[in-house]
Amino acid sequence: AGESPLAFFLRTQANSETKKIAEEVQAAEASKKDAFWQASQGQRSRVDYLLPGVHVKPVNGKGRGLVAEEAILAGTVVLRERAVAAVPVRAEDCERPILSSCRLAVALLSTRQEAATKALEPRAGREFEEHGLRRARTAELVEGRGFVRAKSAANATPLEDDALDRLLLVLTLNAHGVMLPGGQMHQGLFAEVGAMVNHSSRPNLVFHGAGVSNKDGHDELQLILQTVRDVQANEELTISYLSELYLPFPERDERLQEMMYGFAAERLPTDPGLEAQVPNAPAQATQRVIAANGAADDAWERAAALRAKLAEEPEDEQRKRLQQQVQQQEVASAQHYAALLNENLLAETHAWRYNATWRLASLLTRPGAPKSCAKALPLWDSALRAGRRVWPSE
């Protein structure tokens, strides 16, 4: 789970001589990469705090990762690192994620800090040239190049097409979307340690952000990694690259493949519960549930996009129109989620039912009216019961 095809082959099928040669090559490559990474950190470190005993190390089948040499208690802050560059995430980024990478590239080039990305994957050369995302998103990269060159300052570092494409891929794969306490989302590159943390569908870390003042009095984006359970000695520290954890295996795997990280989702002991249905359900009910889930999710996402626009809109009249549109989409989402639940097709632990349950509960709770909150209570109870049984991570 989570390992590359080559690592899987070496573990399961290669003979001892092939394994030995591969191990020697991997050790040499890891040593070279680590030396390069350390050399690239010649400028002042942006790591404000790293828990003693936590190190960036080679991880089998994953390249580099963050490893705890000693046991760590739940709730412990592991890392505080300031971004090399950061930009606010805008409403249009929901539909076109490449835009936040483009703005981040502009910020790096304008401050001549692109060297901070040299050791991040995909590295220049064959690794970049053969990367699947480069071929899959050629049109986006061409558009991104134009955006970056149009927006960059006159004194920004000029880059050839391949170098700029690689920079955009590096930012797409390694930058973190971090939410500040006030709810504002920012995209930041945390090149020293934060970018080295690998994915897991059962992560032992959560991450969030903070604004910290630098010596010039300006706010900088800081990434905070914190354990969500006790961590054993020599255990890898991981986060989730997915915005949602409560997903059945096919959806987790599909989303990771779309993101082109180069690895598959791991299967979990809780997967059967995440996909459980009521036995012998009629086919018509299945189709109605699929339609309701799709319509509800679409309305939920449209409401989220409208809320992002609302947060950026300064004019009162336009804000009123956006608020009305948000309410319309929330009502549509609630109606479709209620229709899904009324079919009684999915088991309480099923990912779609859980999602519909807590989202409908949150929509009912939001106004704060006693009757509405009373209707939400059974839904919250259901979501909590399901979560205790099959929630993938603490």
Side-chain angles (χ1 to χ4, degrees):
E3 63 185 354
S4 68
L6 176 59
F8 178 79
F9 167 77
L10 291 172
R11 180 170 62 82
T12 61
Q13 300 178 44
N15 59 37
S16 58
E17 183 178 356
T18 302
K19 287 181 180 179
K20 183 177 180 182
I21 294 172
E23 288 170 359
E24 291 173 354
V25 171
Q26 287 175 343
E29 283 295 308
S31 177
K32 183 170 67 175
K33 290 174 183 176
D34 287 344
F36 180 58
W37 177 68
Q38 291 165 9
S40 72
Q41 307 303 321
Q43 55 187 336
R44 184 179 176 185
S45 174
R46 302 187 68 78
V47 174
D48 295 320
Y49 174 77
L50 181 62
L51 184 70
V54 172
H55 301 284
V56 175
K57 288 185 171 184
V59 177
N60 186 33
K62 295 184 178 181
R64 288 166 294 176
L66 206 59
V67 178
E69 292 186 347
E70 301 175 357
I72 305 174
L73 294 176
T76 302
V77 171
V78 170
L79 173 72
R80 291 181 181 271
E81 179 179 355
R82 284 170 291 126
V84 178
V87 294
V89 175
R90 299 178 181 174
E92 61 264 31
D93 296 348
C94 298
E95 297 296 329
R96 299 168 65 199
I98 190 70
L99 290 178
S100 59
S101 296
C102 290
R103 287 196 293 274
L104 204 49
V106 171
L108 282 167
L109 295 172
S110 298
T111 54
R112 295 184 174 270
Q113 296 192 82
E114 70 281 355
T117 70
K118 284 185 177 180
L120 300 178
E121 297 179 358
R123 297 171 185 79
R126 185 174 180 180
E127 187 173 288
F128 161 68
E129 292 166 2
E130 298 181 355
H131 199 279
L133 196 57
R134 184 191 184 197
R135 296 188 295 272
R137 298 191 178 176
T138 302
E140 289 180 76
L141 291 174
V142 171
E143 180 188 6
R145 265 188 252 142
F147 181 99
V148 172
R149 285 174 175 149
K151 299 292 184 180
S152 294
N155 63 340
T157 305
L159 294 180
E160 298 293 331
D161 286 356
D162 279 358
L164 189 48
D165 285 356
R166 180 196 161 268
L167 177 61
L168 290 172
L169 287 188
V170 166
L171 297 175
T172 299
L173 295 172
N174 293 281
H176 289 296
V178 179
M179 185 171 289
L180 295 174
Q184 309 95 332
M185 180 68 76
H186 285 67
Q187 190 84 349
L189 179 66
F190 307 90
E192 292 180 56
V193 179
M196 306 297 164
V197 186
N198 289 317
H199 165 81
S200 172
S201 294
R202 302 185 72 180
N204 49 28
L205 297 176
V206 291
F207 63 94
H208 52 98
V212 295
S213 296
N214 62 17
K215 62 180 181 180
D216 299 320
H218 298 113
D219 275 351
E220 293 186 284
L221 182 66
Q222 185 186 66
L223 173 72
I224 302 171
L225 297 181
Q226 192 169 11
T227 56
V228 291
R229 63 166 171 79
D230 292 346
V231 175
Q232 303 301 312
N234 300 315
E235 184 177 347
E236 184 185 6
L237 297 167
T238 57
I239 60 174
S240 174
Y241 292 177
L242 302 174
S243 58
E244 296 178 76
L245 282 175
Y246 204 108
L247 293 170
F249 171 78
E251 290 188 41
R252 293 198 308 271
D253 192 57
E254 180 182 6
R255 294 191 189 188
L256 287 171
Q257 298 305 325
E258 288 174 353
M259 296 163 80
M260 303 293 287
Y261 283 112
F263 57 83
E266 68 262 46
R267 289 194 175 274
L268 303 175
T270 53
D271 280 340
L274 292 167
E275 302 173 37
Q277 297 187 23
V278 175
N280 303 318
Q284 296 91 333
T286 300
Q287 293 304 315
R288 288 194 296 269
V289 164
I290 292 172
N293 186 67
D297 283 355
D298 288 345
W300 181 272
E301 294 299 329
R302 284 195 293 269
L306 288 166
R307 278 194 293 271
K309 288 182 180 180
L310 180 62
E312 298 171 3
E313 180 56 56
E315 297 183 8
D316 289 342
E317 286 301 316
Q318 182 62 13
R319 287 182 61 83
K320 289 179 181 178
R321 284 193 291 269
L322 286 171
Q323 285 172 340
Q324 290 175 348
Q325 293 173 17
V326 168
Q327 291 173 353
Q328 290 170 355
Q329 294 302 323
E330 288 180 344
V331 169
S333 179
Q335 289 172 340
H336 290 301
Y337 281 133
L340 182 154
L341 295 174
N342 288 336
E343 290 292 342
N344 288 318
L345 170 69
L346 307 178
E348 188 174 48
T349 57
H350 192 286
W352 288 7
R353 177 167 171 173
Y354 171 83
N355 203 43
T357 301
W358 79 259
R359 285 184 174 182
L360 182 55
S362 68
L363 291 171
L364 289 170
T365 306
R366 193 169 293 163
K371 288 185 178 180
S372 181
C373 289
K375 291 180 180 179
L377 279 175
L379 296 170
W380 286 123
D381 284 341
S382 174
L384 288 170
R385 281 195 305 272
R388 290 191 191 102
R389 290 169 59 187
V390 297
W391 188 255
S393 171
E394 291 79 356

